[in-house]
Amino acid sequence: MKVMCSVNPGHCTLIKYIFLLLIIIHLGLNTAESVWPLPQIVIPSPERYQLKPQSFSFGYRRNLDTKHSCSVLDAAFKRYFSILFPGYTYGNDTLQLSENEVFTLTISLDHHDCQGYPNQDSSERYKLSVFAGQASLNAETVWGSLRASTGLETFSQLVYQDDFGSYYVNKTEIEDYPQFNYRGILLDTSRHYLPVQAILKTLDAMAYSKFNVFHWHLVDDPSFPYQSQKFPDLSNKGAFHPVTHIYTQSDVRRVISYARMRGIRVLPEFDSPGHTKSWGKGQSELLTSCYRGGTPSGTFGPVNPTLPSTYQFMASLLKEVASVFPDPYIHLGGDEVDFSCWRSNPYIRAFMRKMGFGLDFSKLEAFYIEKIVNITSVLRKTSIVWQDVFDYHERRKFLSVVEVWKQGCYLCEVRRVVKAGLRVILASPWYLDQPGPTHNWARYYNVWPLAFKGTEKQKSLVIGGEVCLWGEYVDATNLSPRLWPRASAAAERLWSNERQTSCVERAFPRLQEFRCKLLRRGIQAEPLYVGHCKHEYQSG
């Protein structure tokens, strides 16, 4: 049965919607069409096979098994066995079963890359076939096998229980790959400190929803929780508390390792020259001294871009950051720089005259950003900046990736950036830090990142999008419910085929079911509407 939507994406007729819901209620969401985000190609079947925890196993295709082991997949096997069969332990065979009761999921990889880290070029394409007594999962890389709703995650969503507690999976053929390579979640750990455990729980939920980049907005005006080995006073004096509210090097390594095991990149952001008040507490003469009436006012503004010591410090700090974070990208910020303090400082104005900038302080910011980008280039890191850097600066050839965040006609901005030949990450429509009714998930679902006039080459420069959860009103108490399941709506938009996922009414029951899966896996996701889940959220 096929339910068609109207030409306007996201609107089905009421009759078709009710008819679809009746069919779903009658048959249940126990097919591949219930997977979230929706795979690119799905061939479902009503034929089903019973699974028993005591006779289910994961395995490698022979060429992998004999030559190499894969720690990433070995750990994933244990993790997903617990997801498939709660209460059972992987590898504990308690029953002797006949050969026709054994079920094996066999993994094969085209490229053995188990020892590395996921990156922007990691393939996530995979094929999954489920048939009698076995399933086969083929991927180009380990990250295709692992990523949420690809490979193991997809298979985990295909398994269901009947009313008597027996486990089943339907015969299924899936070919899948992402629409966009960059699918991020930003967490802000400066405005409110987030305990490491809360970050790890978010990484779990990201994997279930197919996000693959954790954008860690580590520091900002309120606090500097990152504990630097070279500059310990940055956190000693700039964090909310120098012991309880910091991220040690061990904490950072733990987050990176945990993310890697789930196929997630960790992208650090050290935003400057603005948003740096906390930096100045532990690094003297870094910030600009503001003046009033010709004398220092005792307050400080953005980083002082006129001093050689500024760039010596930034080069040393970024060198450390580059060694700690393995991802080839680093986010340099560059947004919302307040020029008033620079304007008040006579030494800044004298430097401006010397450089021929006149009174155009955006040129001073461009001067600073270009130097910082050059530092990161020497460190063999690719820089990402917020759209302000693109908007205010005439010299753009030194830029690589621009993140569009401002409201308004964000697709107009996307078009401007790609016409300049630069890559784009879209964040504007996916700001979730403000509270809102859960049913407004449709607002985040009905986003079309490529709906602008441009060539195919220009549209290929849109590398993905990002859900941003800024920390003014978010800490560990409300982090999960504010993110999930609204962020999952953006996840499907960034992964799935637009034409197959253009109808909100068809998506609703699948997202409702996925939200129940999140609850069963310990993610405190908000309800979408009236109803219940077979397995409600259990705290503790």
Side-chain angles (χ1 to χ4, degrees):
M1 202 283 292
K2 189 174 183 181
V3 177
M4 298 298 294
C5 288
S6 59
V7 175
N8 187 2
H11 293 85
C12 290
T13 65
L14 181 60
I15 294 176
K16 290 176 181 176
Y17 177 40
I18 294 173
F19 187 44
L20 176 67
L21 287 180
L22 289 173
I23 291 176
I24 290 169
I25 292 170
H26 178 67
L27 297 178
L29 278 171
N30 295 327
T31 71
E33 292 156 336
S34 72
V35 174
W36 191 281
L38 189 69
Q40 300 287 343
I41 300 173
V42 181
I43 304 176
S45 170
E47 183 178 343
R48 70 177 189 174
Y49 317 112
Q50 186 173 2
L51 304 180
K52 295 185 178 180
Q54 302 88 344
S55 62
F56 180 90
S57 64
F58 297 99
Y60 295 108
R61 196 174 64 184
R62 187 175 302 171
N63 69 332
L64 262 180
D65 196 26
T66 56
K67 292 182 180 180
H68 303 282
S69 62
C70 183
S71 59
V72 173
L73 285 177
D74 289 341
F77 293 161
K78 294 180 180 179
R79 189 166 68 249
Y80 274 99
F81 189 87
S82 297
I83 289 174
L84 290 170
F85 310 111
Y88 291 88
T89 303
Y90 182 56
N92 284 1
D93 294 327
T94 58
L95 292 178
Q96 293 294 325
L97 299 167
S98 61
E99 186 175 337
N100 64 353
E101 291 180 293
V102 174
F103 194 102
T104 302
L105 172 55
T106 303
I107 310 291
S108 62
L109 303 177
D110 294 339
H111 304 285
H112 191 275
D113 55 347
C114 295
Q115 304 307 314
Y117 288 86
N119 59 58
Q120 74 282 359
D121 296 321
S122 296
S123 172
E124 297 172 281
R125 181 182 292 270
Y126 75 97
K127 293 182 181 180
L128 177 64
S129 299
V130 181
F131 40 96
Q134 58 184 306
S136 65
L137 170 59
N138 174 258
E140 294 181 3
T141 69
V142 65
W143 314 116
S145 297
L146 191 63
R147 191 85 72 213
S149 241
T150 64
L152 294 176
E153 175 61 28
T154 297
F155 182 81
S156 75
Q157 293 192 34
L158 295 178
V159 175
Y160 59 95
Q161 281 182 285
D162 65 10
D163 292 336
F164 303 99
S166 297
Y167 294 94
Y168 291 93
V169 65
N170 283 40
K171 181 179 180 180
T172 311
E173 291 281 346
I174 290 177
E175 282 192 46
D176 205 8
Y177 51 87
Q179 179 81 3
F180 296 99
N181 289 335
Y182 186 107
R183 305 177 306 281
I185 294 277
L186 178 149
L187 295 185
D188 170 10
T189 57
S190 173
R191 291 173 175 86
H192 280 98
Y193 176 82
L194 295 176
V196 171
Q197 195 58 43
I199 294 175
L200 301 185
K201 180 69 77 173
T202 302
L203 290 171
D204 282 333
M206 286 176 61
Y208 303 149
S209 296
K210 207 192 301 190
F211 287 103
N212 66 348
V213 180
F214 168 39
H215 178 171
W216 195 349
H217 188 84
L218 266 161
V219 299
D220 208 297
D221 282 333
S223 72
F224 196 108
Y226 171 75
Q227 188 180 61
S228 168
Q229 287 184 329
K230 294 182 179 179
F231 305 99
D233 277 349
L234 288 172
S235 60
N236 286 341
K237 298 179 180 180
F240 289 134
H241 190 282
V243 177
T244 60
H245 286 60
I246 62 170
Y247 301 106
T248 66
Q249 297 283 308
S250 177
D251 291 332
V252 172
R253 285 194 299 269
R254 184 182 176 195
V255 169
I256 293 171
S257 175
Y258 198 90
R260 172 182 175 268
M261 299 301 279
R262 286 149 184 79
I264 296 172
R265 299 163 51 195
V266 179
L267 170 70
E269 180 182 355
F270 285 79
D271 190 0
S272 70
H275 293 283
T276 49
K277 289 182 180 178
S278 65
W279 301 41
K281 297 176 182 179
Q283 184 67 21
S284 61
E285 299 184 1
L286 176 65
L287 304 184
T288 302
S289 177
C290 305
Y291 278 66
R292 182 181 300 161
T295 59
S297 65
T299 60
F300 296 89
V303 166
N304 188 332
T306 70
L307 301 177
S309 59
T310 291
Y311 302 103
Q312 293 167 4
F313 163 76
M314 291 299 296
S316 186
L317 176 63
L318 290 174
K319 183 178 180 180
E320 176 186 320
V321 170
S323 68
V324 170
F325 291 88
D327 198 81
Y329 284 69
I330 184 171
H331 205 302
L332 299 177
D335 64 315
E336 298 180 314
V337 180
D338 185 355
F339 296 151
S340 59
C341 186
W342 283 349
R343 188 177 292 110
S344 74
N345 187 300
Y347 300 100
I348 298 288
R349 294 199 304 272
F351 181 85
M352 296 268 291
R353 289 193 295 271
K354 177 182 176 182
M355 297 299 295
F357 295 160
L359 296 176
D360 188 350
F361 288 90
S362 66
K363 290 183 178 179
L364 181 61
E365 183 190 359
F367 172 83
Y368 170 84
I369 290 291
E370 187 166 353
K371 280 185 171 291
I372 301 304
V373 169
N374 288 338
I375 289 172
T376 60
S377 297
V378 170
L379 297 170
R380 297 184 179 180
K381 296 285 186 178
T382 301
S383 59
I384 302 173
V385 295
W386 294 108
Q387 76 177 77
D388 312 49
V389 177
F390 176 86
D391 289 342
Y392 299 151
H393 306 144
E394 295 177 0
R395 288 170 53 89
R396 296 166 176 168
K397 291 183 179 180
F398 68 92
L399 300 177
S400 297
V401 184
V402 176
E403 184 161 5
V404 172
W405 69 273
K406 294 182 181 180
Q407 304 303 306
C409 184
Y410 54 81
L411 288 181
C412 300
E413 181 76 3
V414 169
R415 185 168 182 262
R416 289 179 60 231
V417 175
V418 298
K419 285 184 70 176
L422 302 175
R423 286 171 287 169
V424 172
I425 298 167
L426 179 61
S428 302
W430 292 309
Y431 269 45
L432 304 191
D433 47 288
Q434 296 297 323
T438 309
H439 62 258
N440 72 359
W441 68 270
R443 165 186 172 187
Y444 309 111
Y445 194 75
N446 284 333
V447 173
W448 315 102
L450 302 181
F452 60 90
K453 291 184 179 179
T455 65
E456 288 303 311
K457 183 178 180 180
Q458 289 172 344
K459 293 189 177 185
S460 71
L461 293 173
V462 181
I463 62 174
E466 186 162 86
V467 170
C468 295
L469 195 67
W470 297 101
E472 285 88 348
Y473 306 101
V474 177
D475 65 9
T477 65
N478 62 347
L479 171 63
S480 287
R482 191 157 293 189
L483 260 182
W484 314 108
R486 292 190 299 167
S488 300
E492 180 151 291
R493 179 56 53 240
L494 292 169
W495 179 276
S496 305
N497 183 296
E498 287 187 356
R499 294 181 180 178
Q500 296 177 13
T501 56
S502 61
C503 182
V504 168
E505 287 81 0
R506 289 186 65 181
F508 175 77
R510 290 193 303 107
L511 185 56
Q512 186 96 305
E513 175 69 13
F514 181 68
R515 184 252 173 181
C516 290
K517 291 174 182 175
L518 291 178
L519 294 188
R520 191 177 190 186
R521 298 182 185 192
I523 305 301
Q524 202 168 357
E526 284 187 333
L528 289 164
Y529 193 58
V530 176
H532 79 286
C533 293
K534 184 176 181 180
H535 302 278
E536 296 289 0
Y537 176 77
Q538 299 293 323
S539 60

